[in-house]
């Protein structure tokens, strides 16, 4: 603040307003230039801080809009950050989740299971995927583990849980439908094999009746001839 008249109140008000400096005329030119440079540096710093805060807020909002639960864990498998979907699925607040191990919250056990992909991830940095049943979440999930690097070495991991429950249920229903269709085809084939002889018999019953009538006529005629021959003797 630059003024020609200085009072105690003006100084106090300037300090409360967080001014860079308080200058009273006449002002040394070099000191004025230095003050302006400090003011510009502070302005640039404030702009940078605002941009960082804005970027952090946007990142947090984006992170929380992702529907899949996401956890960021450190090398000791402790959770350092989660999105809203993870907290909601766990039924816990952010504060209740942070600092606890992912094996405790995901697998409900104190130590990582033998098949835990994080074991290999921390050593080789390769992405690991695992389909498994998670009772804590009440369904089947695809767990994807990707490394977070500090330089060339993994310094943590991102764990994404993608819900496969609906897909698994659809696959089971499809499998059952295919089994029913196979049973239906088998039943149709058996019925066809049974119907073939029956169809042959039904088709030829009329002709068989004609043959039977003709045979009976022949037998009757033969009987007449036999009786006639006997009466002549």
């Amino acid at each position: 603040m630059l003024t020609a008249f200085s009072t105690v109140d003006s100084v106090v008000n300037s300090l409360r307003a967080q001014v860079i400096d308080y200058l009273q005329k006449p002002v040394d030119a070099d000191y004025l230039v230095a003050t302006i440079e400090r003011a510009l540096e502070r302005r640039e710093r404030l702009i940078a801080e605002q941009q960082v805060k804005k970027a952090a807020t946007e990142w947090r909002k984006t992170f929380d809009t992702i529907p899949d639960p996401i956890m960021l864990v450190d090398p000791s498998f402790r959770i350092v950050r989660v999105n809203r979907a993870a907290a909601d699925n766990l039924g816990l607040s952010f504060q209740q989740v942070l600092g606890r191990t992912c094996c405790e919250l995901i697998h409900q056990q104190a130590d990582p299971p033998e098949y835990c992909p994080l074991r290999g991830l921390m050593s080789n940095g390769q992405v690991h995927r695992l389909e498994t049943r998670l009772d804590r979440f009440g369904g089947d999930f695809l767990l994807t583990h990707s490394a977070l690097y500090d330089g060339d070495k993994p310094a943590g991991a991102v764990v994404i849980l993608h819900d496969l429950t609906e897909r698994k249920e659809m696959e089971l229903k499809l499998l059952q439908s295919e089994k029913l269709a196979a049973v239906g085809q088998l039943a149709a084939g058996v019925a066809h094999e049974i119907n073939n002889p029956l169809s042959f018999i039904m088709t030829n019953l009329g002709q068989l009746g004609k043959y039977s009538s003709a045979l009976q006529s022949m037998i009757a005629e033969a009987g007449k001839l036999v009786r006639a021959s006997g009466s002549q003797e």
Side-chain angles (χ1 to χ4, degrees), residues 54-66 83-84:
K54 181 180 179 181
T57 301
E58 291 176 349
W59 182 88
R60 181 78 238 184
K61 289 180 179 178
T62 302
F63 192 49
D64 283 338
T65 58
I66 299 174
N83 68 345
R84 184 168 300 279

Side-chain angles (χ1 to χ4, degrees), residues 22-90:
Y22 188 89
L23 306 178
Q24 183 177 355
K25 294 179 180 179
V27 180
D28 180 75
D30 292 338
Y31 189 77
L32 177 60
V33 171
T35 301
I36 293 173
E37 290 177 349
R38 290 200 304 274
L40 292 174
E41 290 176 358
R42 181 181 178 186
R43 180 176 180 273
E44 292 176 355
R45 185 170 63 254
L46 289 174
I47 292 173
E49 289 175 355
Q50 290 173 354
Q51 291 175 341
V52 170
K53 290 179 180 179
K54 181 180 179 181
T57 301
E58 291 176 349
W59 182 88
R60 181 78 238 184
K61 289 180 179 178
T62 302
F63 192 49
D64 283 338
T65 58
I66 299 174
D68 290 336
I70 302 177
M71 302 179 180
L72 276 61
V73 301
D74 63 16
S76 61
F77 310 138
R78 295 196 176 276
I79 299 170
V80 296
R81 182 167 294 176
V82 295
N83 68 345
R84 184 168 300 279
D88 290 346
N89 275 272
L90 290 168

Side-chain angles (χ1 to χ4, degrees), residues 202-223:
M202 295 298 294
T203 302
N204 291 280
L205 277 178
Q207 192 64 33
L208 184 61
K210 294 179 182 179
Y211 292 154
S212 177
S213 298
L215 183 59
Q216 289 176 358
S217 298
M218 292 174 63
I219 293 173
E221 290 297 326

